[in-house]
């Protein structure tokens, strides 16, 4: 067995001069980014990981580090009981808003993808918010009540949800409804991504489906959605990241204010601990969506593979049957010969 | 008239169904009404805040208090705009904002192009690791690395200057740089390898191939990255306030969005010194908001085609 394995291994090819030169050029081209990653990502990441365990005070002599272990985390619970609460609310809000944005964007994209006059005009309107959304502008509009759909009674919605769900969930649902327009505003880029992906779906697929009698509804579930699946994942991740860095998000302003607050407990170490909690939550949410939406192969590939496997199996069975048949025939022939030799009829 | 003809002319149920819901080939009237109706309603909801903002910004105090004036102000009152522009120091802030958004954007395009080309064109051992880090750097929120970076800038003495934005952009780690690198990566992946090989056979080196073939073919991607980078830098207030303005030092650097953020306090301090005509009310605030939106809005109107087709052209969505 081991011999066979060795044989199957590819013979090691020595890297040629051309490959080496190409690799060198590749490293050269990516060099600026590598330096940047080391300077602005990896080193700060390690540093902030270190900061997390310390209480840091800034004096004219420089920074003074005081190791306090998980003290920062317990301090967060003592000093800012709002922070963990907000974190939970944030998780609920993201998990609610992302599907809404995705479904809404897909809906709009499908409508725009049909035969529609003035498509450019509608695209212009739906993409407009991308230019505008920035923290302060949104805050202004929200504070003036321009972000609410006027005839929507948010209070009663929250009250209704409060009966069935914990308060944090009801609160996030209420916040989402009261800022419905803002939630929809975040879907500009997603609409364009879906639209451009929809336009690249092979029309022959739809034609074939129509000839086989598929309705529009069936076409959507069996063709559009499976082909859109990678784009849905892309958009989901984009939306999560966008919502996390958005200045409407109270968590990041809390981190900022903790960083520059003068009290003894707070400061860089405390803010780092907050930031790490936040980052872990975001990574988990992204991971969740990736698990839910990402499959390595799309449905068609998987089905085709399954079918091929089945075919192979059948072929194997067929061969086995043929072989068995041959064996059986031989046996019969042998036996018959034996019987002819031994039946003792005395024919010969 | 024969019986068959009367049936043909009669208004049958099937015909009605066909007329409203359409056939396989043709959209029916009902469908069309539904689609256009939805699009128009949602479109109106989309621009409702903007309409509200514009209409409120032209109202004087009497209009604001008058409940009968809802959408159309009784007169075109531009005093709000004058007051808001004065308080925001509009022209100076605009110039600074353009520099803050423009210069890092240029470097973002440059570095994104070089690095994206490196990833797309060459194979090397650490490529998979690098791509992994690239994705990771996109997912990781800025807040984690923000504090040590702030300390780093402070030690370098560039806090409160535009270098805090230019330097990371130059090294491919600015705001959303990972996206731009990925855009260029996916774009250069589409340039046929044969083209490059032909160039090599004709005696071009790695750099000549990059400058003579890759860059000229990448114009759509460059436009996309430029626009998005500009918009995102323009709309960034959190990091701009922290790095470029310097939260504790408060340098001269500012942009319209930050001015809008601090509008209330700025305006009231100015009002107390007495050079403001109107006191702070929602019309002035809405006027300030529309002023801060205005430059990008004009840019959007002029370059609408580039914006809308941007994502199509980069080929993020695959071919």
């Amino acid at each position: 067995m081991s011999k066979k394995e060795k044989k199957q291994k590819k013979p090691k090819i020595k890297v040629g001069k051309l490959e080496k030169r190409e690799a060198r050029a590749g490293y050269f081209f990516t060099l600026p980014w590598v330096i940047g990653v080391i300077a602005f990502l990896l080193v700060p990441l390690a540093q902030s990981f270190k900061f997390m365990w310390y209480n840091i005070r800034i004096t004219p002599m420089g920074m003074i580090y005081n190791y306090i272990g998980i003290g920062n985390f317990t301090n967060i619970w003592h000093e800012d009981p709002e922070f963990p609460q907000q974190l939970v609310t944030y998780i609920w809000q993201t998990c609610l808003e992302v599907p809404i944005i995705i479904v809404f964007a897909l809906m709009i994209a499908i409508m725009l993808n049909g035969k529609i006059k003035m498509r450019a005009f509608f695209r212009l309107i739906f993409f407009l918010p991308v230019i505008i959304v920035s923290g302060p502008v949104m805050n202004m509009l929200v504070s003036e009540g321009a972000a609410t759909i006027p005839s929507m009674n948010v209070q009663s919605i929250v009250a209704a949800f409060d009966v069935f769900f914990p308060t944090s969930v009801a609160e996030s649902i209420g916040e989402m409804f009261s800022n419905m327009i803002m939630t929809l505003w975040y879907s500009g880029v997603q609409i364009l991504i879906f639209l451009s992906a929809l336009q690249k779906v092979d029309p022959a697929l739809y034609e074939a489906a129509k000839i086989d009698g598929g309705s529009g509804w069936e076409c959507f579930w069996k063709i559009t959605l499976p082909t859109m699946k990678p784009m849905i994942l892309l958009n989901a991740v984009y939306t999560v990241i966008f919502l996390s860095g958005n200045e409407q998000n109270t968590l990041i302003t809390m981190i900022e204010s903790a960083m520059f607050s003068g009290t003894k407990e707070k400061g860089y170490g405390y803010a780092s601990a907050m930031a790490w909690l936040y980052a872990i939550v975001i990574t988990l949410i992204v991971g969740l969506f990736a698990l839910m939406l990402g499959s390595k192969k799309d449905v068609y590939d998987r089905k085709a593979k399954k079918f091929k496997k089945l075919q192979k199996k059948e072929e194997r069975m067929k061969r086995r049957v043929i072989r068995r048949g041959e064996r059986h025939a031989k046996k019969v022939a042998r036996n018959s010969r034996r019987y002819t030799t031994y039946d003792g009829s005395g024919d010969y | 008239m024969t019986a068959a003809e009367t049936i043909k002319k009669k208004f049958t149920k099937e015909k009605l169904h066909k007329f409203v819901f359409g056939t396989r080939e043709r959209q029916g009237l009902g469908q069309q009404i539904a689609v256009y109706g939805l699009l128009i309603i949602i479109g109106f909801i989309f621009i409702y805040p903007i309409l509200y903002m514009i209409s409120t910004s032209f109202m004087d105090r009497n209009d604001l208090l008058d409940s009968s004036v809802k959408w159309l102000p009784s007169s075109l009152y531009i005093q709000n705009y004058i007051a808001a522009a004065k308080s925001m120091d509009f022209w100076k802030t605009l110039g600074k904002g353009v520099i803050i958004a423009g210069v890092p954007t240029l470097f973002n395009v440059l570095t994104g192009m070089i690095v994206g080309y490196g990833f797309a064109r060459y194979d090397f051992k650490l490529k998979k690791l690098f791509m992994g880090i690239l994705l990771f750097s996109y997912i990781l929120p800025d807040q984690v690395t923000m504090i040590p970076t702030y300390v780093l800038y402070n030690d370098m003495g560039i806090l409160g200057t535009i270098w805090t934005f230019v330097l990371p952009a130059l090294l491919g780690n600015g705001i959303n740089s990972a996206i731009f690198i990925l855009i260029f990566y996916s774009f250069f992946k589409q340039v046929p390898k044969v083209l490059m090989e032909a160039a090599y056979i004709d005696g071009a080196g790695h750099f000549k191939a990059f400058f003579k073939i890759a860059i000229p073919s990448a114009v759509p991607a460059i436009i996309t990255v430029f626009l998005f980078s500009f918009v995102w830098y323009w709309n960034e207030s959190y990091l701009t306030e922290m790095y470029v303005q310097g939260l504790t030092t408060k340098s001269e650097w500012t942009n319209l969005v930050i001015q809008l953020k601090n509008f209330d306090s700025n305006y009231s301090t100015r009002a107390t010194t007495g050079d403001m005509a109107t006191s702070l009310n929602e019309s002035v605030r809405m006027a300030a908001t529309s002023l801060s939106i205005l430059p990008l809005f004009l840019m959007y109107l002029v370059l609408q085609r580039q914006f809308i087709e941007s994502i199509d052209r980069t080929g993020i969505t695959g071919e």
Side-chain angles (χ1 to χ4, degrees):
Chain A
M1 194 62 201
S2 63
K3 252 186 186 174
K4 219 177 183 181
E5 267 181 15
K6 262 182 196 169
K7 253 186 192 172
Q8 274 180 351
K9 247 186 194 172
K10 267 186 195 169
K12 215 175 184 184
I13 300 168
K14 219 177 153 192
V15 178
K17 241 182 192 168
L18 188 68
E19 268 92 21
K20 258 189 195 164
R21 224 183 289 156
E22 292 245 307
R24 223 180 296 142
Y27 285 119
F28 184 82
F29 272 103
T30 49
L31 186 66
W33 175 80
V34 172
I35 296 171
V37 157
I38 291 169
F40 296 113
L41 183 75
L42 297 180
V43 171
L45 203 62
Q47 269 178 327
S48 100
F49 189 74
K50 184 189 148 196
F51 283 0
M52 190 162 66
W53 313 106
Y54 288 83
N55 181 20
I56 297 164
R57 288 165 72 189
I58 301 160
T59 58
M61 321 284 284
M63 294 200 290
I64 296 175
Y65 297 88
N66 242 339
Y67 183 75
I68 51 168
I70 58 164
N72 277 323
F73 293 99
T74 50
N75 271 346
I76 289 175
W77 253 258
H78 289 306
E79 296 282 316
D80 279 319
E82 231 183 296
F83 186 79
Q85 239 172 38
Q86 286 284 351
L87 212 57
V88 174
T89 313
Y90 167 77
I91 294 171
W92 281 115
Q93 214 172 327
T94 311
C95 289
L96 275 172
E97 277 183 3
V98 171
I100 287 181
I101 291 175
I102 299 289
V103 169
F104 176 76
L106 190 57
M107 212 173 77
I108 295 282
I110 286 172
M111 279 200 276
L112 288 181
N113 195 39
K115 275 181 211 147
I116 284 225
K117 276 167 201 158
M118 305 207 301
R119 184 194 287 162
F121 172 71
F122 281 119
R123 279 200 296 186
L124 200 67
I125 285 179
F126 289 124
F127 193 67
L128 176 65
V130 176
I131 311 298
I132 296 170
V133 281
S134 65
V137 172
M138 299 301 258
N139 280 334
M140 273 290 187
L141 291 177
V142 169
S143 73
E144 295 297 339
T148 323
I149 298 174
S151 59
M152 194 147 52
N153 190 350
V154 179
Q155 286 302 322
S156 60
I157 294 174
V158 173
F161 275 106
D162 212 8
V163 180
F164 303 107
F165 294 104
T167 321
S168 62
V169 183
E171 231 171 62
S172 45
I173 291 174
E175 200 162 313
M176 194 194 71
F177 271 112
S178 67
N179 289 339
M180 199 60 186
I181 298 183
M182 297 294 120
T183 311
L184 298 186
W185 265 24
Y186 294 148
S187 51
V189 172
Q190 288 86 326
I191 290 174
L192 280 201
I193 290 179
F194 276 137
L195 195 56
S196 99
L198 279 175
Q199 277 163 359
K200 278 164 192 160
V201 179
D202 192 358
L205 278 177
Y206 290 107
E207 252 164 56
K210 259 182 198 167
I211 288 167
D212 286 349
S215 65
W217 183 245
E218 280 168 326
C219 281
F220 171 74
W221 288 104
K222 300 252 159 92
I223 298 174
T224 313
L225 213 55
T227 39
M228 284 298 113
K229 210 174 172 195
M231 291 301 124
I232 292 174
L233 176 64
L234 181 79
N235 276 336
V237 172
Y238 175 83
T239 314
V240 172
I241 303 298
F242 181 82
L243 288 175
S244 78
N246 186 5
E247 226 186 311
Q248 283 258 289
N249 190 341
T250 42
L251 288 164
I252 64 173
T253 38
M254 276 171 104
I255 292 171
E256 191 191 346
S257 66
M259 187 177 158
F260 293 105
S261 101
T263 56
K264 207 169 74 186
E265 288 86 8
K266 294 184 181 180
Y268 289 175
Y270 183 87
S272 296
M274 275 180 159
W276 270 89
L277 277 181
Y278 185 47
I280 289 167
V281 163
I282 288 172
T283 318
L284 283 181
I285 294 175
V286 170
L288 180 77
F289 279 111
L291 268 183
M292 258 164 52
L293 298 169
S295 63
K296 282 207 167 149
K297 280 168 199 120
D298 61 301
V299 185
Y300 293 118
D301 264 2
R302 233 173 7 204
K303 281 215 170 134
K305 215 170 183 186
K306 220 179 189 175
F307 182 69
K308 256 182 200 164
K309 231 181 191 173
L310 217 72
Q311 245 181 351
K312 249 183 198 168
K313 206 173 169 188
E314 262 172 20
E315 221 165 79
R316 258 207 314 274
M317 286 284 279
K318 224 187 265 168
R319 258 194 311 226
R320 202 183 291 158
V321 166
I322 291 169
R323 239 182 288 142
R324 205 182 283 155
E326 276 171 4
R327 240 185 352 246
H328 190 71
K330 257 183 205 165
K331 212 173 168 184
V332 168
R334 210 163 50 227
N335 279 356
S336 67
R337 210 188 309 136
R338 199 184 292 155
Y339 289 133
T340 51
T341 41
Y342 287 98
D343 67 349
S345 64
D347 256 19
Y348 47 92
Chain B
M1 222 179 261
T2 56
E5 268 178 3
T6 45
I7 289 171
K8 243 184 199 173
K9 283 213 171 159
K10 235 182 168 179
F11 195 68
T12 56
K13 210 172 161 192
E14 276 169 35
K15 261 189 184 169
L16 181 69
H17 188 275
K18 251 185 198 173
F19 183 66
V20 176
F21 293 102
T23 53
R24 288 249 158 84
E25 287 76 37
R26 202 177 55 81
Q27 273 191 326
L29 186 71
Q31 272 179 328
Q32 269 185 352
I33 287 175
V35 167
Y36 280 107
L38 264 177
L39 279 178
I40 288 168
I41 289 170
I42 295 171
F44 177 71
I45 290 175
F46 253 64
I47 53 173
Y48 167 77
I50 298 168
L51 293 179
Y52 177 86
M53 178 189 76
I54 293 170
S55 110
T56 311
S57 69
F58 282 115
M59 290 182 187
D60 61 9
R61 205 181 309 160
N62 295 333
D63 284 353
L64 272 179
L65 295 174
D66 192 351
S67 61
S68 65
V69 177
K70 198 128 203 214
W71 280 102
L72 283 178
S74 55
S75 65
L76 213 60
Y77 183 72
I78 54 169
Q79 210 59 42
N80 294 325
Y81 278 94
I82 296 171
K86 223 186 210 173
S87 169
M88 288 168 100
D89 209 353
F90 183 73
W91 292 110
K92 250 189 191 171
T93 312
L94 179 68
K96 278 174 193 163
V98 168
I99 295 172
I100 285 182
V103 177
T105 294
L106 285 180
F107 288 109
N108 239 346
V109 171
L110 193 74
T111 313
M113 200 156 55
I114 294 170
V115 176
Y117 181 76
F119 277 132
R121 171 70 189 81
Y122 299 108
D123 275 320
F124 44 94
K125 251 187 200 167
L126 296 176
K127 186 166 150 181
K128 274 197 175 149
L129 178 74
F130 283 0
M131 295 291 277
I133 295 176
L134 189 70
L135 284 180
F136 174 69
S137 77
Y138 173 58
I139 290 170
L140 198 74
D142 284 331
Q143 279 68 32
V144 182
T145 54
M146 181 178 75
I147 296 154
T149 315
Y150 185 83
V151 176
L152 175 74
Y153 291 154
N154 200 12
D155 290 344
M156 285 165 83
I158 56 171
L159 210 61
T161 63
I162 199 174
W163 284 104
T164 48
F165 266 12
V166 172
L167 207 61
L170 184 65
L171 294 175
N173 273 280
I175 296 170
N176 285 331
S177 278
I179 294 184
F180 303 134
I181 291 174
L182 284 178
I183 287 176
F184 276 117
Y185 168 78
S186 65
F187 191 85
F188 283 130
K189 269 270 166 199
Q190 290 173 12
V191 175
K193 213 172 176 183
V194 191
L195 210 62
M196 292 294 167
E197 269 160 18
Y200 290 140
I201 287 167
D202 285 349
H206 294 294
F207 296 103
K208 204 162 195 180
F210 175 62
F211 284 115
K212 290 266 153 131
I213 294 172
I215 290 184
S217 70
V219 172
I222 291 173
I223 292 173
T224 307
V225 169
F226 187 88
L227 290 179
F228 273 89
S229 177
F230 191 84
V231 168
W232 278 334
Y233 268 103
W234 180 279
N235 280 333
E236 182 67 47
S237 62
Y238 187 80
L239 292 176
T240 314
E241 209 174 20
M242 180 163 284
Y243 293 152
V244 182
Q245 200 178 25
L247 258 186
T248 44
T249 48
K250 292 277 178 208
S251 70
E252 285 282 288
W253 289 102
T254 176
N255 65 18
L256 283 172
V257 185
I258 292 176
Q259 287 290 330
L260 183 69
K261 195 178 174 187
N262 305 325
F263 184 72
D264 289 2
S265 59
N266 282 353
Y267 193 87
S268 41
T269 49
R270 286 221 175 186
T272 47
T273 53
D275 55 348
M276 285 294 155
T278 47
S279 59
L280 182 64
N281 55 27
E282 52 261 55
S283 324
V284 180
R285 298 175 75 198
M286 285 296 107
T289 312
S290 31
L291 273 182
S292 75
I293 291 173
L294 192 68
L296 275 193
F297 188 70
L298 291 179
M299 181 176 151
Y300 181 56
L301 286 187
V302 175
L303 298 173
Q304 40 170 304
R305 173 148 289 204
Q306 265 70 24
F307 269 108
I308 287 171
E309 286 169 6
S310 55
I311 290 173
D312 258 352
R313 285 186 188 151
T314 50
I316 309 173
T317 49
E319 223 24 70

